[in-house]
Amino acid sequence: MVALSDRKIEIVRTLVESAPDKIVGGLQRALAETSGDTVLTSVRLLVEAEARDRMLRNGVFLPVTPLFVGDGSDKNSLVFPARALACIWRGLKVLAPEEIAAAGDAADAVVKAISIDRRPPDTSEIFDGLVELTAHALRTSDLRDFRAAVELCDRARPGGAEALAACLDISPVVRRAVARLPDWVTHTNDDTSAAARLAYKDSVAVAEDAGPRFFEMLAGHLTPPWMVLRVISAVMDKPTERYLADSELGGFPERVMSNIDETLKAIGHLDADGGPKAGRAAAGLVTLVTEQIFELEVSIELNRETGWGQRILGQKQSLAAVVEARLRDAEKLATAALPMQSSGFSRMRKTWPKLDTPPDPKVIGRATTLLTFAHELRHCANHGGFSATHAKVGEQLGGMIDHYVEEVLDHVRTGDAPDLALAHSYLKVAANFDGLVRDEKAAELIRRRAAAVCLAEPPADDDA
């Protein structure tokens, strides 16, 4: 099979160069096994070259790379258009080809040192030099690619290009800080706090207003980004809410609290018809809110009577209220999915399973959604403030399921169940519910008992 023509290769090159990093990485993995004189070989070599080039680019611009997101128009955080990164890299290749080549050699030396288990050389001086050139070019260069980057950034937000250049100005400080960031957020002590404070001072020594940019850039390297609250707390020695609110960094906790408000709305809109996936997603949002509230509480000295403390307390109460309402809905729907009927008018009315109609798939689906939601909350119930309700609903549901299963099995054994297949289907529903209320071992026990009673072979006829 012949290789692609030069014209087609150029088309592929254009497509690959404009693709996001994730797509390029996926193509590289997909084409890794192609070999020989095939059409895909030329494409593979092209993709591998692009992947190596992007690794170098992302290494040079490591401090700011996470800030290039989408079209850069997010008003809630400091971001820039993703296309601007590609533009400044192309412009830098034209402006400083020798320095780019030296950076590539340094990156290759790092890869080689790691492969033979040796200490890699320090590339920061070469990389920081390129970043400095880029910041200057954004402000002064008439090269087409730099002008394109400026236009993209300024179109996304007023003064966007200067904001990017200002981020590049403190990139050497952030590059050193990123290397120590894992320790700063996981091992907070006097040493890590002192190191974080020193890095912060270095950034504001470059520019007095660099503080917020410094933390925005660090947040881009954290998952989740609001973990930067720990670094802010360390730098400011766990500030009071009033002091932090009046500072230039007050926007960080405000942003987290606004995100909590939006997430609470999403939890309240959980669609019971959405199935287990929707239940798990909503539970994930509950976990997210509990983690965010926890970070706010441990990072800031709050006053529950006023300001942020009062707002956060209200958010905790709202979270508990919406979760508890859903837990009660789960109990009602599970009970409705395993219907019972009764007779008589005395206070001691007899109840037994209603086994004359098939299970209602809609009710079962809704109950499964909410029981999945409840099941996924078991690890965050204590922190979320709804552990008592979660435990109570779980206990009541467990008791209800146990009673229902015993009643159905008893009706089958005594011959009172009109349809064994229907009885078995209800027992399977009860088993699935019990797996969510308790665990899969409890569910499997019900399934085995149901099979033994409902699917047992009738005794052989001796006269046959």
Side-chain angles (χ1 to χ4, degrees):
M1 186 177 292
V2 297
L4 293 176
S5 66
D6 290 343
R7 186 179 68 83
K8 290 182 178 179
I9 281 290
E10 208 50 44
I11 293 173
V12 174
R13 188 190 311 279
T14 302
L15 292 172
V16 171
E17 287 179 351
S18 61
D21 288 359
K22 185 180 292 186
I23 299 298
V24 173
L27 283 172
Q28 185 182 20
R29 290 189 294 272
L31 296 169
E33 297 181 0
T34 62
S35 60
D37 187 16
T38 67
V39 174
L40 290 180
T41 298
S42 56
V43 176
R44 174 176 60 82
L45 294 175
L46 189 154
V47 170
E48 287 178 349
E50 178 68 19
R52 285 194 301 271
D53 186 63
R54 292 196 186 197
M55 285 184 65
L56 178 59
R57 180 199 70 186
N58 293 344
V60 170
F61 292 109
L62 179 142
V64 294
T65 297
L67 303 184
F68 291 94
V69 180
D71 63 0
S73 62
D74 185 356
K75 305 305 180 186
N76 295 320
S77 58
L78 182 61
V79 293
F80 306 103
R83 288 173 55 201
L85 179 58
C87 289
I88 62 177
W89 183 240
R90 285 196 301 268
L92 196 57
K93 287 180 179 179
V94 175
L95 183 66
E98 293 182 2
E99 290 85 346
I100 290 284
D105 292 340
D108 290 341
V110 169
V111 174
K112 183 177 180 180
I114 293 175
S115 68
I116 59 177
D117 201 23
R118 290 188 178 179
R119 183 176 181 178
D122 185 3
T123 61
S124 59
E125 183 177 352
I126 298 175
F127 288 2
D128 289 341
L130 287 169
V131 169
E132 184 179 352
L133 280 173
T134 303
H136 181 71
L138 280 172
R139 293 180 171 116
T140 62
S141 177
D142 289 328
L143 285 175
R144 182 185 64 182
D145 288 314
F146 283 113
R147 292 304 92 204
V150 169
E151 291 175 6
L152 284 168
C153 292
D154 286 344
R155 193 184 308 146
R157 67 174 68 233
E162 178 54 36
L164 174 56
C167 287
L168 295 174
D169 290 340
I170 63 170
S171 285
V173 177
V174 175
R175 192 186 303 277
R176 296 192 298 270
V178 167
R180 307 188 66 178
L181 199 51
D183 279 342
W184 292 358
V185 298
T186 59
H187 302 101
T188 304
N189 53 44
D190 291 342
D191 291 338
T192 57
S193 296
R197 282 193 289 271
L198 182 60
Y200 174 75
K201 289 179 180 178
D202 288 343
S203 69
V204 296
V206 176
E208 290 184 359
D209 62 347
R213 290 193 295 276
F214 172 75
F215 288 111
E216 289 279 7
M217 293 166 74
L218 291 185
H221 289 273
L222 289 170
T223 304
W226 42 263
M227 291 286 285
V228 77
L229 289 172
R230 296 189 184 187
V231 186
I232 293 174
S233 181
V235 169
M236 302 183 75
D237 195 19
K238 193 174 182 178
T240 64
E241 62 175 80
R242 182 173 181 180
Y243 179 72
L244 182 54
D246 291 339
S247 76
E248 60 185 355
L249 304 179
F252 287 89
E254 285 279 5
R255 191 188 307 168
V256 177
M257 285 181 278
S258 296
N259 183 261
I260 290 173
D261 288 334
E262 293 301 314
T263 307
L264 288 172
K265 294 178 184 177
I267 296 169
H269 294 151
L270 167 59
D271 181 10
D273 292 316
K277 183 178 180 179
R280 283 189 290 271
L285 294 179
V286 174
T287 301
L288 172 63
V289 169
T290 59
E291 290 173 349
Q292 290 176 320
I293 289 176
F294 175 79
E295 288 299 327
L296 289 166
E297 290 178 330
V298 300
S299 300
I300 309 168
E301 189 176 319
L302 299 169
N303 180 353
R304 292 196 169 198
E305 303 300 322
T306 59
W308 288 349
Q310 188 178 54
R311 181 179 178 183
I312 292 169
L313 178 61
Q315 289 175 330
K316 290 179 71 172
Q317 292 171 341
S318 296
L319 176 65
V322 70
V323 169
E324 288 172 354
R326 286 308 197 177
L327 291 175
R328 288 190 288 270
D329 289 342
E331 184 179 5
K332 293 176 183 176
L333 284 166
T335 301
L338 303 174
M340 300 285 287
Q341 55 187 345
S342 59
S343 64
F345 299 95
S346 66
R347 295 177 61 183
M348 301 296 292
R349 288 182 294 177
K350 173 68 174 175
T351 62
W352 65 90
K354 184 175 172 57
L355 302 174
D356 54 353
T357 57
D360 187 333
K362 188 170 185 178
V363 176
I364 292 169
R366 289 178 173 177
T368 301
T369 298
L370 296 185
L371 288 176
T372 301
F373 172 72
H375 178 74
E376 297 295 326
L377 296 178
R378 61 196 184 282
H379 298 307
C380 70
N382 285 334
H383 294 299
F386 47 83
S387 59
T389 301
H390 188 270
K392 182 179 179 181
V393 169
E395 182 179 350
Q396 290 175 339
L397 280 170
M400 182 274 290
I401 293 170
D402 288 344
H403 175 71
Y404 182 84
V405 168
E406 295 303 327
E407 286 291 318
V408 173
L409 291 175
D410 183 62
H411 273 60
V412 172
R413 293 189 190 101
T414 59
D416 293 330
D419 188 326
L420 289 183
L422 272 182
H424 188 244
S425 63
Y426 274 109
L427 288 172
K428 287 195 294 184
V429 172
N432 292 338
F433 286 178
D434 211 30
L436 295 171
V437 173
R438 293 190 175 107
D439 53 41
E440 190 56 30
K441 184 181 293 186
E444 190 57 33
L445 178 60
I446 295 176
R447 294 187 187 104
R448 288 200 301 268
R449 295 180 66 194
V453 174
C454 298
L455 305 180
E457 292 284 340
D461 190 347
D462 294 338
D463 296 332

